Amino acid sequence: MVKKVLSVAICAIVLLFVYAPILLLVVYSFDKSKIINIHEFSFSFELYKQLFRDKKIMQILFNTIWLALAAAGLSTVLGTAGAIGIFYSRKRIAKPLNAASQIPVINAEIVTAISLALLFSMVALYRTYFSLIIGHMVLCTPFVVLSVLPKLKQMDSNTYEAALDLGASPAQALFKIVIPQIFSGILAGFMLSITLSLDDYIVTAFTKPKTFDTISTYVYNAVKNGTNSSTPALRALSALIFVVMIVIVLVINLRARKPAKKGA
């Protein structure tokens, strides 16, 4: 009994430590004052009204979303293909490939950003939409590989070959046998890619066109300059992003529980 109480208490403390700043942000998204003051809190939806009236922020939000979806979609296709290739390769080839795919994950992001900037400068593609998309793909693809590989390892490696023996073509065996079994890993990689792309500042700052902004670059410049009248509305935008991500996580977890209950 004591162990259970202690474990729950420790979990509660950790969660409070992690989420307290975000919850504070959500609370003060309903405070219309430009400067946060604990003693002068005035409840209002003014920041949310200001957010949706600001055409510039809406355009930046649209830029961020389409960039995240495009980069996540392409990264998911490339990362899934890479994970399948690694899984079905010989051990002598699979181990070096697997290790190489993990280097971008542990590598400092600033190193990746500077490397991409130098590469695109050499080929005259620096600060273009192409360099921006490729930069985000370089950032996201390794995490897709890490999400898909465990699902492939849980699958019977002989399933694909059995499908071929039963008359299926390689494409049919891949899309009708392998992909459905690893779909949860693919979905996890896609969602993780969206989160990484939405959150990224360093790679975006080094590869984006000069006239293009995402939420991260806009927030940084707004806070850095301190003269932007839209800065308080960013509290409302951040709160909305947090709520949307919570809803998505809850929906995914609830949908994952239904098959488990049916199986039971």
Side-chain angles (χ1 to χ4, degrees):
M1 183 66 182
V2 176
K3 289 183 178 180
K4 289 183 178 180
V5 173
L6 285 175
S7 62
V8 171
I10 292 171
C11 289
I13 292 171
V14 171
L15 290 174
L16 181 63
F17 177 78
V18 171
Y19 288 105
I22 302 176
L23 294 176
L24 185 66
L25 173 68
V26 173
V27 170
Y28 276 96
S29 68
F30 297 100
D31 182 14
K32 64 181 180 180
S33 60
K34 292 184 178 181
I35 300 175
I36 294 177
N37 191 335
I38 298 175
H39 303 290
E40 297 181 4
F41 182 88
S42 56
F43 185 86
S44 172
F45 288 97
E46 183 60 33
L47 292 184
Y48 289 92
K49 294 178 182 177
Q50 182 182 342
L51 172 65
F52 289 106
R53 285 198 301 259
D54 194 319
K55 293 182 180 179
K56 186 175 182 180
I57 292 182
M58 289 294 100
Q59 180 61 46
I60 289 169
L61 181 61
F62 174 77
N63 293 345
T64 306
I65 292 173
W66 83 253
L67 174 62
L69 291 174
L74 293 171
S75 298
T76 302
V77 173
L78 184 61
T80 302
I84 292 173
I86 291 172
F87 180 72
Y88 284 105
S89 297
R90 294 180 180 178
K91 289 184 178 180
R92 292 182 180 180
I93 300 174
K95 287 184 178 180
L97 288 175
N98 191 20
S101 69
Q102 295 178 18
I103 292 175
V105 176
I106 61 175
N107 188 31
E109 192 175 341
I110 185 65
V111 176
T112 302
I114 294 174
S115 302
L116 288 168
L118 289 173
L119 174 64
F120 290 123
S121 295
M122 291 175 61
V123 295
L125 289 171
Y126 183 52
R127 291 196 176 279
T128 62
Y129 289 105
F130 179 80
S131 64
L132 180 62
I133 290 289
I134 296 299
H136 277 243
M137 287 179 63
V138 170
L139 178 68
C140 299
T141 300
F143 290 92
V144 177
V145 174
L146 288 177
S147 299
V148 175
L149 269 177
K151 289 296 178 181
L152 285 166
K153 291 178 181 178
Q154 292 174 8
M155 183 185 71
D156 187 350
S157 59
N158 296 319
T159 305
Y160 177 78
E161 295 173 358
L164 295 179
D165 291 340
L166 292 172
S169 65
Q172 288 176 329
L174 176 63
F175 288 102
K176 292 186 177 181
I177 303 299
V178 177
I179 297 297
Q181 294 191 57
I182 63 172
F183 182 74
S184 59
I186 296 173
L187 181 60
F190 178 74
M191 295 302 301
L192 185 57
S193 298
I194 289 179
T195 303
L196 289 168
S197 180
L198 288 173
D199 182 60
D200 180 71
Y201 169 76
I202 299 176
V203 171
T204 305
F206 275 83
T207 58
K208 73 179 185 69
K210 292 182 179 180
T211 57
F212 185 89
D213 265 318
T214 61
I215 294 173
S216 59
T217 58
Y218 178 77
V219 169
Y220 176 80
N221 292 327
V223 174
K224 180 183 176 182
N225 298 330
T227 56
N228 197 317
S229 59
S230 300
T231 302
L234 297 175
R235 301 203 297 263
L237 177 61
S238 302
L240 286 175
I241 292 172
F242 174 69
V243 171
V244 169
M245 294 307 297
I246 289 293
V247 170
I248 292 173
V249 170
L250 289 175
V251 169
I252 291 174
N253 279 277
L254 289 173
R255 291 191 66 181
R257 285 183 180 182
K258 287 182 180 179
K261 289 182 179 179
K262 289 180 180 179

